[in-house]
Amino acid sequence: MSDLSELYQDMILDHNRSPRNFRAMPDATALAHGHNPLCGDNVTIYVKLEGERIVDVSFEGSGCAISKASASMMTAELKGKTREEAETLFERVHDMLTREAGTFVDIEGLGKLAVLSGVSEFPARVKCASLPWHTVHTALEGGETVSTE
Amino acid sequence: MNTTSVTDAGATALDIEAIRAEFPVLDQQVRGRQLVYLDNAATTQKPRQVVEEIARYYYEDNANVHRGVHTLSQRATKSFDAVRRKVREFVNAADEREIIFVRGATEAINLVAQSYGRSFIGAGDEIVISEMEHHSDIVPWQMVCEQTGATLRTIPFNDRGELRLDVLAGMLSERTKLVACVHVSNALGTINPIKEIAAMAHAHGAVMLVDGAQAAPHLRIDVQDLGCDFYTISSHKMYGPTGIGALYGRRELLEKMPPYQGGGDMIASVTFEKTEYNVLPYKFEAGTPNIEGVIAFGAAIDFFERIGIERIAAHEADLLAYATEKISQIPGVTIIGRAANKASVLSFVLEGVHAHDIGTILDFDGIAIRAGHHCAQPVMQCYGIAATARASFAIYNTRQEVDALVAALAKVKEVFG
């Protein structure tokens, strides 16, 4: 795939234009900052856990359409999931983004996140999409600053 | 692509099509479209004579320099030494011994920072740099400040991207020991008034270092006229290979500076009790140098001199003016860096679209630009932005390529509606 419209799908453009859960969360129980020193992208992920369950998740920051859409869709997907389910999803998204070009990707269960599968064809942009995921992973593990370098 | 001819007073017309033919890499398709290479401030492409000189050196002359009595070593040494003369002429230094070969402008600045800075700058002293420096002219000075207890001060710029010399005037004092400033900003394209800044620095007894990595490809460099004490150039920004560059240093300063690295070639004699250092420039060139790099850098200077800096500058000025006019007309575009005096660099932002998305979408049309902070994060912070898209021009670029860029930007706007 190397078509422009397959990378910048409508859903990605929509989440970029109107990001979901794009706000600070004063009562977050965990948060982490993510930074890509190569391009200067910044993201902060806020998580509110009740026991093992993620009851709320939000983000703030600045970045390109791919990173913003990835963060926005991620927050929508993670709300209501357990910590363990979130970690499993993190692994699957990570595999989808970093797979060898042209190899098969199992998108079942990924839902809307499958629209990000085209990013793997653009090595320079993989980190844009994976930064929010690495950051939420860090938040769930205790929280600190994560860097994609 | 059609031939573009440029004429300026006293110069014959430039045949850009013929010049393009000297750069084999330009003749290719990217994603099914003719490559449009507009990332020259990151690195320029290399003409055939530079690439072939590297092969010629290895096929015919390869040997270590300044060591052997055999024929190959003498040939390699002769070619190597000839480039030092070429660089001296290129920057108009008074003395060949004032030219030190280094890996690039970054190493040149680190050499001055660690050798001059740590020896002649101390606690309570001040180092002044501009706020439009590349990270390579910020971090080495921060390291010197940490090592010596000196303080780093910065010269701001106005919203057009011009340095505030009035602020600099109030900043300089007997505490100022060194002023470091970029000649041409890689992020904004501003050509700074180095001669004036150097005079201000000298009036307070400070030495002046100029980062010329982005200037040497576009301006006639005359270190004596500029009045600077140190000047750095980088081969790969000016049609030469990567991994080689030069530091110009005023001889009187270089003589009193300690070596930067120890090793072979930089010594006169070695015993375990005492080592005598070699004379200039070898004192600063420890170890076997980048011989192929130096020799091919010489070929790049030959290419440069053959075309002539005045004709190169005139052609690039035409492209910059044309691109500035065309891109300014696109609704939502803001040009970052509108100094009265600019060279070759056009940085811009497009409302609602991140520079990386612009870069990726342009690549679909075979157009290479830079998107990001350009290793000048303080510049981005001054404008309150994270990144810009940057088109930068070289001798082989054409107005048609600018048109292709403008058309592709329309597509970016379409995608992001």
Side-chain angles (χ1 to χ4, degrees):
Chain A
M1 117 89 227
S2 59
D3 191 86
L4 191 53
S5 60
E6 287 182 55
L7 176 65
Y8 291 102
Q9 297 202 27
D10 288 346
M11 197 187 298
I12 289 178
L13 295 171
D14 172 56
H15 277 264
N16 174 55
R17 239 186 324 265
S18 0
R20 324 295 197 259
N21 306 304
F22 188 68
R23 57 184 155 84
M25 193 192 295
D27 59 343
T29 54
L31 69 88
H33 303 288
H35 177 54
N36 182 345
L38 218 58
C39 62
D41 282 0
N42 272 299
V43 67
T44 302
I45 307 283
Y46 303 88
V47 181
K48 192 173 172 185
L49 281 163
E50 276 178 18
E52 283 297 296
R53 195 161 296 280
I54 299 168
V55 293
D56 198 9
V57 53
S58 68
F59 79 105
E60 282 186 309
S62 70
C64 62
I66 304 293
S67 79
K68 220 170 172 182
S70 177
S72 172
M73 287 190 282
M74 179 186 82
T75 58
E77 285 295 322
L78 290 185
K79 219 178 276 191
K81 288 210 164 38
T82 64
R83 192 199 292 256
E84 197 186 330
E85 287 165 344
E87 289 295 339
T88 306
L89 201 54
F90 164 72
E91 297 292 341
R92 295 212 40 208
V93 170
H94 189 262
D95 289 349
M96 172 179 77
L97 292 173
T98 58
R99 75 187 196 282
E100 289 276 325
T103 56
F104 172 76
V105 57
D106 175 17
I107 55 167
E108 201 183 317
L110 283 175
K112 291 174 183 169
L113 296 172
V115 301
L116 290 168
S117 68
V119 177
S120 68
E121 305 266 346
F122 299 83
R125 306 301 301 275
V126 168
K127 283 172 179 171
C128 308
S130 65
L131 180 64
W133 288 90
H134 282 288
T135 309
V136 80
H137 171 71
T138 303
L140 291 171
E141 297 231 306
E144 57 178 87
T145 296
V146 64
S147 167
T148 55
E149 278 312 290
Chain B
M1 203 138 299
N2 299 324
T3 299
T4 303
S5 291
V6 173
T7 317
D8 63 337
T12 49
L14 267 181
D15 183 349
I16 298 298
E17 205 55 31
I19 289 171
R20 288 182 68 85
E22 293 188 51
F23 291 81
V25 75
L26 296 175
D27 183 23
Q28 66 173 291
Q29 305 267 308
V30 169
R31 295 182 184 274
R33 306 288 293 268
Q34 168 61 39
L35 167 68
V36 173
Y37 187 80
L38 298 175
D39 194 17
N40 296 288
T43 197
T44 53
Q45 299 300 344
K46 321 304 174 196
R48 195 175 269 119
Q49 80 187 82
V50 167
V51 180
E52 286 176 357
E53 183 60 10
I54 296 172
R56 190 208 60 78
Y57 162 70
Y58 280 118
Y59 287 145
E60 297 174 14
D61 292 346
N62 177 48
N64 212 326
V65 291
H66 305 139
R67 284 165 177 75
V69 295
H70 59 78
T71 301
L72 257 56
S73 175
Q74 287 171 30
R75 287 210 300 251
T77 301
K78 194 176 164 210
S79 305
F80 183 92
D81 290 347
V83 179
R84 204 182 304 274
R85 277 195 295 283
K86 284 180 191 172
V87 175
R88 185 203 71 73
E89 287 165 16
F90 185 79
V91 300
N92 194 35
D95 189 322
E96 211 174 296
R97 288 168 290 186
E98 296 179 311
I99 304 301
I100 315 290
F101 286 123
V102 288
R103 279 192 293 138
T106 297
E107 185 173 53
I109 297 168
N110 277 277
L111 188 161
V112 176
Q114 289 302 306
S115 172
Y116 184 87
R118 288 186 78 173
S119 306
F120 301 104
I121 298 174
D125 290 341
E126 291 178 354
I127 296 169
V128 175
I129 63 173
S130 91
E131 290 180 7
M132 65 172 78
E133 297 311 301
H134 187 279
H135 296 163
S136 63
D137 203 27
I138 300 174
V139 183
W141 305 116
Q142 289 174 325
M143 289 164 68
V144 170
C145 287
E146 265 174 39
Q147 290 156 344
T148 64
T151 305
L152 190 67
R153 302 195 63 181
T154 60
I155 316 164
F157 51 83
N158 64 24
D159 58 5
R160 292 187 302 277
E162 296 163 327
L163 286 180
R164 295 278 309 273
L165 298 197
D166 55 322
V167 178
L168 173 64
M171 198 180 284
L172 295 168
S173 73
E174 74 286 348
R175 290 187 301 279
T176 316
K177 291 295 180 282
L178 183 140
V179 177
C181 185
V182 70
H183 197 170
V184 170
S185 160
N186 73 312
L188 303 170
T190 310
I191 303 174
N192 287 312
I194 294 300
K195 200 169 172 174
E196 205 176 327
I197 297 169
M200 291 168 78
H202 289 155
H204 289 85
V207 300
M208 175 83 200
L209 175 140
V210 180
D211 172 3
Q214 294 291 344
H218 312 295
L219 312 175
R220 172 68 69 192
I221 307 302
D222 184 336
V223 293
Q224 297 185 76
D225 181 59
L226 290 171
C228 58
D229 301 289
F230 299 104
Y231 197 95
T232 71
I233 59 176
S234 180
S235 151
H236 78 96
K237 307 278 193 198
M238 45 183 285
Y239 311 105
T242 52
I244 190 70
L247 168 69
Y248 156 79
R250 200 150 55 77
R251 193 175 153 202
E252 180 197 338
L253 296 176
L254 293 176
E255 291 284 8
K256 66 176 188 176
M257 285 158 58
Y260 169 56
Q261 293 175 330
D265 236 21
M266 55 76 73
I267 47 85
S269 70
V270 176
T271 68
F272 286 116
E273 287 70 40
K274 172 129 187 85
T275 289
E276 296 285 342
Y277 300 133
N278 205 341
V279 295
L280 289 175
Y282 310 110
K283 182 170 85 174
F284 292 106
E285 295 180 356
T288 295
N290 179 358
I291 305 170
E292 68 169 72
V294 167
I295 291 174
F297 185 17
I301 294 174
D302 291 343
F303 167 80
F304 228 89
E305 299 295 356
R306 172 159 58 83
I307 295 174
I309 186 68
E310 283 72 22
R311 296 203 301 176
I312 293 172
H315 176 63
E316 291 169 348
D318 173 73
L319 287 176
L320 181 63
Y322 182 71
T324 302
E325 189 201 329
K326 290 280 178 183
I327 289 176
S328 299
Q329 289 167 3
I330 301 172
V333 162
T334 304
I335 289 177
I336 303 296
R338 284 188 162 277
N341 212 2
K342 277 184 72 172
S344 183
V345 167
L346 188 63
S347 249
F348 59 94
V349 292
L350 183 54
E351 199 184 351
V353 189
H354 192 280
H356 281 163
D357 297 312
I358 298 175
T360 294
I361 296 172
L362 294 189
D363 187 58
F364 275 98
D365 276 345
I367 301 171
I369 60 150
R370 176 78 188 267
H373 54 55
H374 316 297
C375 295
Q377 285 182 334
V379 172
M380 301 296 116
Q381 286 151 16
C382 285
Y383 283 102
I385 51 181
T388 75
R390 179 189 71 186
S392 51
F393 307 103
I395 185 61
Y396 39 68
N397 291 125
T398 65
R399 283 188 172 209
Q400 289 85 345
E401 289 181 310
V402 173
D403 292 338
L405 170 66
V406 171
L409 286 170
K411 197 179 285 183
V412 173
K413 287 183 62 112
E414 224 170 80
V415 170
F416 280 84

